[in-house]
């Protein structure tokens, strides 16, 4: 994970600096219960005995505490404006931006996007070309978005005019799963061309999912991919996870995703 290589520590220091640039005169609500991000960190430490020294654990704990504090603040922003926050996560190229582009003309709600990439504003530019309010966050060397980056992006989005805010995380099946960015739900995409082993090899990511989208299903005839087996793998990790098949050429599959989001909006 990125906590092992140190990129988060450097990124967190920079983001913490940005954090102080904003006016946070009100109190932040914060729970000291173990969050999903803490659980992911504990799994990392468990499987990496070389990290089990007091200094490493202390640094990781401080980073996650600060991040969770800011994530609670972001969630309060969403709640105060009655906006549903959804974190989109996947490996690069699985179809996050394409999904958003293709549902833009179909949805019966208004949405905006906080877009995360290491470099360029290409994905945000694609979304803006579709009339979607998108803000680009360039992470530099950081392989995920954290709550501080998302908070910065939210300052450039008017939450009053939207119903849903998507956070399109950096393409990575590891690090984003460890960081609560302040959204309410996690959608994880995995595409058919990636192969059958991704769910089993990256369990922390798929345990964090409220919805798994198996994308590019129109390519099933061309790949040795047992989609039912993959659904079973996912439900071994999280029995109650929702799973949908997505093919952007099939409007009904996109409508199923929209219906799921609308159901979650009504359930809030």
């Amino acid at each position: 994970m990125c906590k092992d290589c140190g990129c988060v520590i450097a990124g967190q220091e920079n983001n913490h600096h940005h954090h102080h640039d904003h006016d946070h005169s009100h109190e932040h609500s914060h729970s000291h219960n173990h969050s999903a991000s803490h659980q992911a960190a504990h799994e990392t430490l468990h499987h990496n005995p070389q990290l089990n020294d007091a200094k490493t654990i202390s640094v990781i704990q401080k980073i996650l505490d600060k991040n969770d504090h800011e994530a609670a603040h972001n969630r309060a922003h969403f709640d105060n404006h009655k906006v549903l926050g959804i974190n989109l996560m996947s490996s690069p190229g699985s179809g996050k931006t394409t999904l958003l582009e293709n549902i833009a003309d179909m949805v019966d709600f208004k949405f905006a996007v906080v877009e995360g990439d290491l470099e360029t504003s290409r994905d945000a530019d694609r979304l803006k070309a579709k009339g979607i309010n998108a803000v680009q966050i360039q992470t530099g060397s950081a392989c995920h978005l954290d709550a501080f980056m998302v908070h910065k992006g939210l300052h450039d989005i008017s939450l009053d005019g939207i119903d849903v805010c998507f956070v399109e995380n950096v393409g990575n099946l590891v690090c984003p799963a460890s960081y609560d960015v302040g959204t309410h739900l996690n959608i994880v995409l995995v595409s058919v061309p990636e192969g059958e082993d991704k769910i089993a090899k990256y369990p922390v990511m798929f345990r964090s999912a409220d919805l798994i989208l198996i994308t590019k299903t129109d390519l099933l005839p061309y790949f040795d991919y047992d989609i039912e087996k993959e659904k079973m793998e996912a439900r071994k990790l999280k029995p109650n996870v929702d799973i949908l098949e997505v093919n952007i050429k099939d409007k009904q599959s996109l409508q199923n995703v929209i219906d799921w989001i609308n159901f979650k909006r009504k359930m809030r």
Side-chain angles (χ1 to χ4, degrees):
M1 284 201 177
C2 56
K3 290 182 290 297
D4 302 354
C5 68
C7 74
V8 168
I9 297 173
Q12 191 72 26
E13 287 170 353
N14 291 335
N15 294 328
H16 190 54
H17 173 74
H18 288 308
H19 171 59
H20 285 296
D21 290 340
H22 303 305
D23 179 13
H24 290 242
S25 56
H26 59 284
E27 297 257 346
H28 292 258
S29 61
H30 178 59
S31 168
H32 290 286
N33 293 332
H34 287 299
S35 66
S37 59
H38 280 80
Q39 182 58 37
H42 291 320
E43 289 192 28
T44 301
L45 291 171
H46 176 73
H47 294 295
N48 293 272
Q50 68 272 22
L51 297 181
N52 278 298
D53 64 87
K55 280 187 178 179
T56 300
I57 293 172
S58 176
V59 168
I60 291 174
Q61 189 71 34
K62 286 178 181 177
I63 289 172
L64 291 174
D65 280 345
K66 289 178 181 178
N67 182 80
D68 288 352
H69 189 262
E70 191 72 357
H73 177 51
N74 291 347
R75 207 154 18 246
H77 266 320
F78 288 135
D79 290 339
N80 290 339
H81 291 85
K82 295 181 170 56
V83 171
L84 178 66
I86 299 177
N87 189 11
L88 292 179
M89 297 181 286
S90 76
S91 59
S94 64
K96 298 186 296 298
T97 308
T98 301
L99 174 70
L100 296 175
E101 286 177 316
N102 280 269
I103 68 171
D105 296 328
M106 299 175 61
V107 295
D108 55 355
F109 53 80
K110 294 181 180 179
F111 71 86
V113 182
V114 176
E115 179 70 48
D117 281 305
L118 271 70
E119 296 290 345
T120 83
S121 61
R122 291 179 183 178
D123 285 353
D125 291 341
R126 284 171 56 185
L127 297 174
K128 289 175 182 177
K130 291 286 295 185
I132 301 167
N133 183 4
V135 174
Q136 183 73 50
I137 301 293
Q138 294 180 4
T139 65
S141 61
C143 48
H144 61 90
L145 290 174
D146 63 23
F148 293 91
M149 297 177 193
V150 171
H151 177 83
K152 187 172 183 288
L154 292 179
H155 276 268
D156 294 321
I157 290 177
S158 174
L159 295 180
D160 288 327
I162 62 172
D163 305 298
V164 176
C165 184
F166 291 100
V167 174
E168 186 178 339
N169 222 307
V170 178
N172 185 341
L173 277 178
V174 184
C175 311
S178 297
Y179 286 82
D180 183 359
V181 295
T183 51
H184 302 101
L185 298 168
N186 292 326
I187 296 179
V188 179
L189 290 71
V190 60
S191 66
V192 168
E194 292 174 64
E196 286 187 347
D197 59 353
K198 294 300 175 288
I199 293 175
K201 286 173 68 175
Y202 299 94
V204 177
M205 173 63 75
F206 290 94
R207 280 195 202 103
S208 74
D210 298 289
L211 171 66
I212 295 173
L213 300 181
I214 302 178
T215 63
K216 305 185 183 183
T217 55
D218 52 313
L219 298 178
L220 279 169
Y222 309 102
F223 287 87
D224 185 12
Y225 190 97
D226 187 339
I227 197 167
E228 295 305 320
K229 177 185 173 185
E230 287 305 280
K231 290 177 182 178
M232 288 176 59
E233 289 289 344
R235 292 196 168 110
K236 285 179 187 176
L237 297 171
K238 190 172 184 180
N240 63 337
V241 70
D242 293 323
I243 304 173
L244 293 173
E245 300 176 23
V246 175
N247 165 13
I248 60 166
K249 299 174 184 176
D250 177 7
K251 295 296 184 184
Q252 185 55 54
S253 73
L254 296 175
Q255 187 60 52
N256 292 341
V257 178
I258 295 168
D259 291 345
W260 185 90
I261 293 170
N262 274 326
F263 176 75
K264 293 298 182 180
R265 287 178 59 213
K266 292 173 183 175
M267 291 295 290
R268 289 189 65 224

